[in-house]
Amino acid sequence: MKKNYNNNFYNQNYNNCYYDNNNNNNNLNLDIISKILFILFCFFMVFLIYDFAIIYKNVKKDNNIERNRCMEEYKANKCDIMKVDDGPIVNEFCMEKLKCISEHTVYFHIVLIKYIRSFFYNAFKGNSIINVSLFSIVIIFIVKMLF
C-alpha cells in the first residue's frame, strides 16, 4: 500500500520560511571573534607557563647553590654527630646551618604563589581605577566567551 503525501502542505511551508542572513553573519562574526580570543588566551597562558618555568628553574638553581654550601659546612663540621655537651658555640653554628638549609629549600607552590602575586602587583601597579575596571571587564568577557 502506497502512502500519499500532500505535497501542497510541504511546498506551502517551504515558501513561508526565510533565512535572516544578517543574523547568521552576526553569529558567524561572534564565533570568529570568540575563537580568536580563545587562541590569544591560550597563547597568553602558554607564555605565562613558560615564563614561570624559567623563573622556577632560576630560583631553584640559586637556592640550591646556597643550600649545598650550607650542607657542606654542616657536614664538614660533623654537626650530624654533635652532642649537646660539645659547647654552645658549636651547637649554635650547627643550628644556624640547619636553618640555612631549611630556608633555601625550594617549594613549587611557594614559588607559584609569589609569581602570581608579583604578576598581579605589577599589572595593577600605578594604574588608575579606569584601567583596573577595563582589565576586569576584559577578563569577564573572556570568561563568558570561553564558558
Side-chain angles (χ1 to χ4, degrees):
M1 177 173 199
K2 190 174 181 181
K3 291 188 176 182
N4 230 350
Y5 292 104
N6 188 356
N7 287 337
N8 290 335
F9 176 74
Y10 291 110
N11 288 337
Q12 190 177 26
N13 282 341
Y14 285 131
N15 291 335
N16 291 334
C17 293
Y18 67 94
Y19 292 102
D20 185 6
N21 288 333
N22 192 21
N23 192 18
N24 288 337
N25 285 338
N26 288 341
N27 289 338
L28 181 65
N29 290 339
L30 189 61
D31 287 342
I32 290 172
I33 290 171
S34 66
K35 288 178 183 178
I36 290 171
L37 286 175
F38 179 73
I39 290 169
L40 289 174
F41 179 74
C42 289
F43 279 133
F44 181 69
M45 292 306 293
V46 167
F47 171 74
L48 286 179
I49 291 170
Y50 177 74
D51 186 46
F52 172 73
I54 290 172
I55 289 174
Y56 179 72
K57 181 179 164 185
N58 290 339
V59 166
K60 190 171 181 178
K61 182 180 74 169
D62 293 343
N63 281 343
N64 278 341
I65 291 170
E66 187 65 26
R67 184 173 184 261
N68 289 338
R69 185 187 60 79
C70 293
M71 185 79 78
E72 286 178 12
E73 290 177 3
Y74 182 81
K75 288 180 180 178
N77 289 311
K78 299 180 182 173
C79 288
D80 52 341
I81 57 172
M82 287 283 172
K83 297 179 183 139
V84 177
D85 300 338
D86 290 336
I89 296 173
V90 175
N91 285 334
E92 185 178 317
F93 175 80
C94 291
M95 292 304 290
E96 181 182 319
K97 293 305 164 188
L98 276 176
K99 184 179 176 184
C100 176
I101 291 169
S102 66
E103 285 177 354
H104 290 92
T105 301
V106 179
Y107 296 105
F108 179 83
H109 64 282
I110 292 174
V111 177
L112 180 63
I113 290 170
K114 287 181 180 179
Y115 179 76
I116 292 171
R117 186 183 306 146
S118 70
F119 174 78
F120 281 110
Y121 176 75
N122 290 325
F124 295 119
K125 181 176 68 174
N127 289 335
S128 66
I129 192 73
I130 295 169
N131 291 343
V132 173
S133 60
L134 181 64
F135 180 76
S136 301
I137 290 169
V138 168
I139 293 297
I140 290 170
F141 181 71
I142 289 172
V143 169
K144 188 168 180 111
M145 293 298 257
L146 293 177
F147 303 106

